[in-house]
Every structure is written in C-alpha cells, then in structure tokens.
Amino acid sequence: DAGITQSPRHKVTETGTPVTLRCHQTENHRYMYWYRQDPGHGLRLIHYSYGVKDTDKGEVSDGYSVSRSKTEDFLLTLESATSSQTSVYFCAIRGQGGETQYFGPGTRLLVL
Amino acid sequence: GIQVEQSPPDLILQEGANSTLRCNFSDSVNNLQWFHQNPWGQLINLFYIPSGTKQNGRLSATTVATERYSLLYISSSQTTDSGVYFCAGMSGGYQKVTFGIGTKLQVIP
C-alpha cells in the first residue's frame, strides 16, 4: 500500500454528463498517472503529471482532461462522458528517482 | 512510443507446475517492471528489472536489455498465482509508461 486512494470506487452516469475522478496520495510522490483498462488492451495511459500544474498527454487522452493543483491530488475529468469511456480507471504514482509504479484500487465507471 | 508484446496470452497450469512468461519490446527501455493483477483487480508490482536477474520467493525475472526482452519465471505454481501478468516499460527520457496486454494465468488444483 503506497497511500493511494481513488474516489469514487464505482460510478454510473449518463452520456453527456461531466465526471471527475479523484486520485489522492499521502507520500508526496512527484509523478502521477491515469490509466484506463479495457479487455484486450491492457492498461493505456491517459494523462500523467510530473509536478504541480505540470501534466502531459498519454496515448488515449482525447475526451479527458486532468488537473493537479496540489501534490497529493490528481483529478481526471470527462467533460462529456460517452459510452466508449466505460472502463476501469487506475491511478498510479512514482516517486522522484523511484523506479517502481504503485497503483490505486481503481474506479469502475459505467456510462449509459 | 514503444510497442510491448507479451506471450503467451493465456496459460493454464496444474498446481505445482512451472512456467515462463515473455515480454518483448520494440525499442530499448529504461524502466522495466512486471505486475500481477489478482482476480479482484488489484495491481501489484512484482519486479523492477531494467537488466539482469532478480528473485523473490517462487518468482524470478530476467531482462536482457540488449535483446529487448524480459522473462518472468513462476515455479511451483499455486492457485493464488492466478490472474493477469503485465510487463511495462519507459523509453528514452520520457515518463510515459507502456504496458503489454498481459498474460492471463489460471492455476488449477
């Protein structure tokens, strides 16, 4: 356990509504990541952050935005949710100079 | 970005058997990790192994960086080893981590 929590853990929403997922860490790690996991695709990087207000896109960033105003929180926003964004979302952290990623418990999102 | 290929995609073992999982990378990586996702969805880091060999109990891993592949060995498998095994790596100076699609392992009693 690397002190990572995700909220909510489960969410059902309707197409077109905005959704924000939160990742919270307690150990001041520099790097934070958002992934989605879908059958047949493994984990795919959506966005990552390398510091407060410093973020960059991953391979599947379309339709998602992120913000990091504090070291401990990394927010993922779906501006207008679509059914293709139904997935399990994982947050991960990695420390400065650290090699290992640690994952949160995941958030199951269903977009109807 | 780099491409990560894992094999086999699926594996069924009798309890007590040994197995080898393979991960190939399209380019050199500077941060290679193996993860286990248990049947409850939790992702657990097994090894950070950019090169060389490491062992942890019944699991060991070897990475041959010059040939761009890594192997995960599971000996005397147990039902608790079931789940999906992922390898992942970063290339160059970037912080983007790319995952393979995983090997799904089922260990039957």
Side-chain angles (χ1 to χ4, degrees):
Chain A
D1 184 349
I4 309 168
T5 57
Q6 294 184 228
S7 59
R9 294 293 313 282
H10 303 271
K11 186 169 183 66
V12 180
T13 191
E14 293 186 348
T15 297
T17 60
V19 176
T20 296
L21 309 183
R22 180 184 184 232
C23 178
H24 179 78
Q25 56 139 333
T26 60
E27 299 184 3
N28 274 336
H29 292 290
R30 178 180 178 186
Y31 298 101
M32 298 184 76
Y33 302 80
W34 275 109
Y35 293 90
R36 60 178 290 174
Q37 184 175 27
D38 306 288
H41 290 279
L43 284 95
R44 293 180 291 174
L45 182 65
I46 305 171
H47 282 278
Y48 70 97
S49 169
Y50 47 97
V52 174
K53 293 186 169 46
D54 293 323
T55 65
D56 201 358
K57 296 179 180 180
E59 62 180 299
V60 290
S61 59
D62 286 348
Y64 301 95
S65 62
V66 290
S67 65
R68 192 170 178 197
S69 58
K70 300 184 290 184
T71 299
E72 58 266 34
D73 289 325
F74 192 32
L75 304 180
L76 177 71
T77 298
L78 291 65
E79 303 289 347
S80 177
T82 68
S83 58
S84 64
Q85 293 177 310
T86 291
S87 187
V88 180
Y89 291 85
F90 285 97
C91 172
I93 58 91
R94 187 168 68 87
Q96 176 72 36
E99 306 92 1
T100 302
Q101 279 190 313
Y102 295 94
F103 281 83
T107 294
R108 290 188 174 273
L109 176 66
L110 174 60
V111 183
L112 300 174
Chain B
I2 60 171
Q3 306 299 315
V4 182
E5 183 180 300
Q6 290 189 243
S7 60
D10 297 278
L11 187 59
I12 300 175
L13 293 177
Q14 200 77 38
E15 197 169 25
N18 304 327
S19 64
T20 300
L21 282 57
R22 186 177 178 109
C23 182
N24 291 330
F25 291 86
S26 61
D27 200 350
S28 58
V29 293
N30 55 19
N31 179 306
L32 197 156
Q33 301 170 76
W34 283 96
F35 295 87
H36 175 223
Q37 187 171 38
N38 64 26
W40 296 272
Q42 186 182 11
L43 280 156
I44 300 166
N45 185 279
L46 297 176
F47 294 102
Y48 166 75
I49 185 163
S51 64
T53 297
K54 289 186 178 180
Q55 180 155 7
N56 184 2
R58 295 180 297 102
L59 302 182
S60 64
T62 295
T63 295
V64 183
T66 54
E67 297 188 21
R68 290 181 256 156
Y69 73 88
S70 185
L71 303 173
L72 178 70
Y73 305 96
I74 304 174
S75 64
S76 303
S77 59
Q78 301 176 359
T79 56
T80 53
D81 295 330
S82 297
V84 182
Y85 290 81
F86 293 100
C87 62
M90 287 196 299
S91 181
Y94 301 102
Q95 301 301 324
K96 299 180 183 181
V97 180
T98 300
F99 278 73
I101 63 172
T103 292
K104 186 175 182 180
L105 173 64
Q106 183 180 357
V107 181
I108 55 178

